[in-house]
Amino acid sequence: MATRTGLEIAGVTLVHGDGESTVTALDDVSLTVAAGEFVAVVGPSGSGKSSLLAVAGGLITPDSGRVRIGDTDLTGLSARRLAEVRRTRIGFVFRSGNLLPSLTAVDQLRLPLTLGRVARPRDPMELLADVGMTHRAHRPDKLSGGERQRVGIARALMTSPDLLLVDEPTAALDRHRSQEVVALLAHEAHANGVATVMVTHDHDVLSHCGTVYRMMDGILEVATD
Amino acid sequence: MFLAWRELSFARGRFALMGSVVALIGLLMVLLSGLSVGLVNDGVSGLQKLPVSSFAFQSEVDKTSAFSRSVVDVDVAQQWADRDGVAEATPFGNTLVNTTTDDDVDIDLALFGVEPGSWLAPEATTGAALAGPGEIVLAGTLQDEGVAVGDVVTVDQIGTELEVVGFLDGQHTYGHVDVGYVDLTTWQEVRAGVRPGEPVPDHVHDDATAVAVRFADGADVDLAAADAALGTTSMTLEQSFGASPGYTAEISTLQMIQWFLYVISALVVGAFFTVVTIQRRHEIAVLRAVGASTRYLLRDSLTQSAVLLVGSTVVGVGAGLLLGAGISSSPMPFALEAAPVAAAAAPLVVLGMIGAAIAVLRITRVDPLTALGGYR
Ligand SMILES: Nc1ncnc2c1ncn2[C@@H]1O[C@H](COP(=O)(O)OP(=O)(O)OP(=O)(O)O)[C@@H](O)[C@H]1O
Ligand SMILES: [Mg+2]
């Protein structure tokens, strides 16, 4: 796999609020993540990490700058087209899996394929096996935190996305489980050639990551320590 | 459908609770419909079965009590018969009386006075048709109460004796009492309170309640013009039902109950789906974040509401029909007919869907951004 560009963020500024009380959540942020690369973003609370994911994932349009996924420019797309890009090109892994309570593990994975046509759909059973899930017929209330996160990761990979955005995946997990889950993410990112951005507060898991960035008051820099 | 079905079966307890409310209202709808049809039959079946197109009452009579208040001159009938498009017109008398049979059974009757042998005089299915004064042909249902051909019924107070010569086919009622047909002259004397043997005052044989009019096939009669020319007030047969005692009040009470139930049901369904949608807000945010279109989410939720509403209405109507079959065989005025039952059930589904749709539209206001942890 050559160095396909997964994500390219160039000079993005995002200002929250209006009128008197405005917060600059992202201040001239640039970030490039190649296909198969796994980067982490750390930083104090309120520094703009979630804002970065929101911009990269087409959930919010920045005030200036450009966001590209592969060869698709997100800036200027309608809400409908953005939803389409999220559905076909991006995988999201949320804080605690955020699975739907009514679906079994295997149905969680089938769901993305029911939302519309997908170019390269994965096989749910195979993918569940890949992430080490055996309780396929269990609903989220019967799964442990780690298992939920595995299902969440597998769900995000169902559509063979170009970009994987991961928001604090270990927030609800103990140390041991955290290591397992992040190792899995790193493995899947490399194995599937997915550009992956993970936001985390957990410094213990950074050994699994390639480049580590630090966010501070909306400014993104490569972490030095 | 993927998600809708799985949610229905996952939260089946909650949906069953909601469904049973709709089903119970559906059941009530069937019973109300049966009661409405039953009351209509009981109130005006004697009028419904008349071969009449319209009635011409006294001018400016109170339309809600025209049958008991109106008096017209029998000669007006001939003038009506001469109008364009009118096939036939004859005088018609209608008055409520209390009678007693040979066996001392009290029977309340609506006495219809008609000219024997005229187009308005009914055929008897048992015994003979009306031939002249002093005879009566009764509603068929009175046979069940032991009245038979050859019996004599006596009008209370004035003592006029009427010989039962025949019975009509099935139920003929007016104002919840059975109908008896008598000769117009007999009717005029009973109505005027003339006792048998007493001299009959001159004017008595000039009066009738109304002129019964039958239009020629396909004719379009200008009732207003005829009324203006002949000094009458016309009502079509359908309109005249409203002149039957209690009819308008009964029907409007039932209709009001029915509409209250529709509104209650729509509000309950709307409130339920509002709560469900609010509870699912985070879930919907996640779905939108991963790219579910608004159309997908709306279609999924509306399918769910439709399955719930149609399913529970069918169950409720089914239960109502079973229960109604039991009530039909009791003496209550109750009759189940397919069309009124369907007409009563359909708004339950339609209004429920409107309630659900308004609730479910909240989906469009959920911001997918809220799926990100800690993001406000
Ligand atoms: N919808 C919003 N309206 C106004 N300000 C906002 C909004 N969302 C975020 N902010 C502000 O933008 C800044 C960055 O927020 P963001 O959620 O990106 O931080 P974060 O690094 O993800 O924090 P945490 O680690 O607590 O999740 C914060 O100062 C926050 O108060
Ligand atoms: Mg955050």
Side-chain angles (χ1 to χ4, degrees):
Chain A
M1 202 160 295
T3 51
R4 259 192 312 133
T5 311
L7 171 69
E8 189 184 341
I9 294 178
V12 160
T13 298
L14 176 68
V15 180
H16 278 304
D18 50 336
E20 287 143 38
S21 63
T22 55
V23 179
T24 306
L26 298 176
D27 189 356
D28 193 19
V29 168
S30 296
L31 171 67
T32 305
V33 186
E37 198 186 345
F38 183 35
V39 308
V41 179
V42 297
S45 189
S47 58
K49 304 184 296 297
S50 293
S51 299
L52 179 67
L53 289 188
V55 164
L59 292 171
I60 196 166
T61 303
D63 296 289
S64 63
R66 294 197 329 156
V67 180
R68 277 174 46 167
I69 293 166
D71 47 13
T72 310
D73 196 334
L74 297 196
T75 36
L77 291 187
S78 67
R80 227 177 112 166
R81 285 284 299 134
L82 280 176
E84 181 75 7
V85 169
R86 292 200 299 272
R87 182 174 75 72
T88 53
R89 313 285 297 273
I90 305 175
F92 283 97
V93 179
F94 301 103
R95 197 184 274 243
S96 51
N98 281 343
L99 304 176
L100 304 184
S102 59
L103 302 189
T104 61
V106 65
D107 279 343
Q108 305 278 354
L109 269 64
R110 287 190 182 122
L111 178 76
L113 304 183
T114 70
L115 299 180
R117 226 189 65 79
V118 169
R120 289 162 290 154
R122 298 283 300 268
D123 178 59
M125 288 305 204
E126 211 172 88
L127 199 49
L128 272 182
D130 279 0
V131 299
M133 274 297 300
T134 48
H135 302 304
R136 285 162 194 180
H138 284 188
R139 296 206 169 79
D141 56 352
K142 290 247 186 76
L143 297 176
S144 74
E147 286 173 326
R148 269 181 238 166
Q149 228 19 312
R150 284 168 193 277
V151 175
I153 291 166
R155 178 180 71 185
L157 294 169
M158 273 306 291
T159 56
S160 309
D162 297 318
L163 174 65
L164 195 58
L165 298 172
V166 189
D167 191 23
E168 301 185 32
T170 59
L173 302 182
D174 63 31
R175 235 183 106 103
H176 180 64
R177 288 265 163 73
S178 299
Q179 292 295 337
E180 279 182 3
V181 163
V182 177
L184 174 67
L185 270 171
H187 170 77
E188 292 297 334
H190 296 313
N192 299 297
V194 191
T196 304
V197 180
M198 176 179 75
V199 161
T200 185
H201 276 131
D202 188 351
H203 287 256
D204 295 337
V205 300
L206 295 179
S207 57
H208 298 281
C209 307
T211 319
V212 177
Y213 293 89
R214 177 179 301 282
M215 185 70 100
M216 191 66 90
D217 291 333
I219 296 170
L220 189 73
E221 290 170 343
V222 175
T224 43
D225 49 322
Chain B
M1 280 310 271
F2 179 85
L3 201 53
W5 272 119
R6 283 163 178 79
E7 272 173 357
L8 278 172
S9 83
F10 176 67
R12 53 185 167 276
R14 181 198 291 179
F15 283 111
L17 205 62
M18 179 70 253
S20 55
V21 171
V22 175
L24 283 174
I25 293 181
L27 189 152
L28 257 176
M29 283 299 170
V30 174
L31 297 187
L32 275 177
S33 154
L35 199 59
S36 299
V37 175
L39 277 173
V40 168
N41 288 348
D42 215 40
V44 297
S45 63
L47 295 179
Q48 280 174 327
K49 291 177 183 172
L50 290 173
V52 167
S53 308
S54 73
F55 285 108
F57 295 96
Q58 182 182 345
S59 77
E60 299 190 351
V61 74
D62 177 5
K63 289 199 172 188
T64 59
S65 54
F67 280 114
S68 54
R69 290 179 187 273
S70 165
V71 180
V72 296
D73 196 292
V74 290
D75 293 340
V76 182
Q78 190 51 51
Q79 293 174 282
W80 263 97
D82 293 341
R83 300 291 302 186
D84 278 348
V86 172
E88 286 162 300
T90 68
F92 171 74
N94 179 348
T95 192
L96 295 170
V97 293
N98 305 116
T99 66
T100 310
T101 67
D102 299 340
D103 304 330
D104 251 352
V105 179
D106 291 334
I107 298 179
D108 297 337
L109 285 179
L111 278 193
F112 283 8
V114 297
E115 287 169 355
S118 75
W119 60 278
L120 194 55
E123 286 186 21
T125 50
T126 309
L130 198 62
E135 294 181 355
I136 188 164
V137 172
L138 291 172
T141 41
L142 278 172
Q143 286 173 293
D144 302 338
E145 294 182 27
V147 185
V149 172
D151 286 359
V152 170
V153 297
T154 308
V155 178
D156 294 356
Q157 311 296 338
I158 56 174
T160 307
E161 294 190 344
L162 301 167
E163 189 195 348
V164 178
V165 294
F167 286 96
L168 305 170
D169 182 23
Q171 187 187 30
H172 284 249
T173 45
Y174 168 81
H176 304 292
V177 300
D178 292 301
V179 169
Y181 279 87
V182 294
D183 183 286
L184 186 63
T185 55
T186 308
W187 179 86
Q188 286 162 331
E189 288 160 25
V190 170
R191 152 109 183 173
V194 180
R195 290 169 190 276
E198 278 183 1
V200 179
D202 285 347
H203 67 88
V204 166
H205 287 142
D206 296 339
D207 294 342
T209 303
V211 176
V213 178
R214 188 168 69 77
F215 302 162
D217 284 343
D220 194 10
V221 177
D222 187 345
L223 290 175
D227 280 341
L230 305 179
T232 52
T233 300
S234 284
M235 282 192 243
T236 64
L237 184 65
E238 290 267 309
Q239 289 168 345
S240 77
F241 297 167
S244 169
Y247 181 84
T248 311
E250 285 159 11
I251 297 306
S252 56
T253 305
L254 285 175
Q255 273 173 355
M256 195 184 69
I257 295 174
Q258 214 168 354
W259 279 101
F260 263 98
L261 284 173
Y262 288 138
V263 172
I264 289 170
S265 155
L267 286 178
V268 169
V269 169
F272 174 79
F273 279 105
T274 302
V275 171
V276 166
T277 309
I278 289 174
Q279 278 187 344
R280 287 183 64 209
R281 221 169 45 200
H282 189 73
E283 200 178 313
I284 291 163
V286 170
L287 282 166
R288 300 196 84 165
V290 302
S293 65
T294 307
R295 238 184 76 194
Y296 175 95
L297 292 171
L298 287 179
R299 196 179 47 205
D300 198 71
S301 293
L302 289 176
T303 310
Q304 197 175 56
S305 331
V307 168
L308 183 73
L309 280 167
V310 171
S312 44
T313 303
V314 166
V315 169
V317 168
L321 291 178
L322 283 180
L323 201 64
I327 301 176
S328 293
S329 55
S330 78
M332 261 179 82
F334 190 91
L336 288 176
E337 286 169 18
V341 167
L348 203 57
V349 174
V350 173
L351 291 178
M353 277 311 283
I354 292 174
I358 291 171
V360 158
L361 274 179
R362 264 169 196 282
I363 285 174
T364 59
R365 299 206 297 262
V366 174
D367 188 348
L369 209 51
T370 52
L372 283 180
Y375 205 94
R376 281 146 294 169

